[in-house]
Amino acid sequence: MKARILILNRGDELWEPLQAYAESCSWSGGRYLAEDMRQNLSGWERAVALLYGNEIAGFCAVLKKDCIDDVSYTPYIGYVFVGEAFRGKGFSGTLVEGAESYLKKTGFREAYIVSHHDNLYEKYGYVHVDTKAAYWGDMQRIYRHVF
């Protein structure tokens, strides 16, 4: 079975199921995506669903802004999450590539990811370009990929 990526906008059939999945997933960041889906995503910003068969297996989002204030970087790929039952299959990369494909079609030529992880996004072509404090105070790495 092959995983599929769906780029979602408010009103799409899977919008509310993805929002509910994000709200109740094991990662606390999912609640923030659910909140953004309820109130904040606009313009070209989108939620991205990873489907395995007919089941939601993960998500991410393409965003104007992430968790670090006062930087000029944009667009971001944020909230990358793969459900525990689907890990180890390369689906994080599938999500990132799907988000990048949408951003390319939208006219962007680069993307940024904020993370505290080392050696995760580098394998998808991302390069560490900055380190800044997130709004909650922890230092986060900012990665950039030109496509």
Side-chain angles (χ1 to χ4, degrees), residues 49-61:
L50 172 72
L51 297 182
Y52 192 73
N54 292 323
E55 190 174 353
I56 296 173
F59 55 78
C60 71

Side-chain angles (χ1 to χ4, degrees), residues 14 32-33 41 52 75 83 86 109:
L14 278 177
Y32 295 103
L33 173 59
L41 297 185
Y52 192 73
F86 302 98
R109 298 292 170 248

Side-chain angles (χ1 to χ4, degrees), residues 52-143:
Y52 192 73
N54 292 323
E55 190 174 353
I56 296 173
F59 55 78
C60 71
V62 290
L63 308 160
K64 294 173 191 162
K65 184 178 182 300
D66 204 326
C67 59
I68 298 174
D69 293 324
D70 301 322
V71 293
S72 61
Y73 309 123
T74 199
Y76 286 94
I77 298 172
Y79 300 118
V80 179
F81 174 82
V82 175
E84 288 80 0
F86 302 98
R87 293 185 183 164
K89 301 177 187 306
F91 288 160
S92 291
T94 303
L95 279 164
V96 169
E97 289 169 6
E100 286 178 347
S101 178
Y102 166 75
L103 288 169
K104 284 181 201 174
K105 290 176 187 170
T106 307
F108 292 102
R109 298 292 170 248
E110 64 187 8
Y112 296 87
I113 294 177
V114 175
S115 179
H116 65 277
H117 295 289
D118 290 327
N119 301 316
L120 175 58
Y121 296 106
E122 290 91 338
K123 62 186 164 188
Y124 308 124
Y126 283 78
V127 176
H128 175 236
V129 294
D130 209 347
T131 302
K132 299 269 187 188
Y135 65 82
W136 61 86
D138 290 349
M139 297 304 287
Q140 299 288 307
R141 297 167 65 90
I142 302 171
Y143 294 91

Side-chain angles (χ1 to χ4, degrees), residues 6-10 12 15 33 37 41-48 60-63 76 78 102 106:
L6 295 176
I7 307 298
L8 302 177
N9 200 3
R10 190 175 317 279
D12 289 343
W15 184 265
L33 173 59
M37 290 175 74
L41 297 185
S42 64
W44 53 261
E45 294 178 298
R46 297 288 185 274
V48 179
C60 71
V62 290
L63 308 160
Y76 286 94
Y102 166 75
T106 307

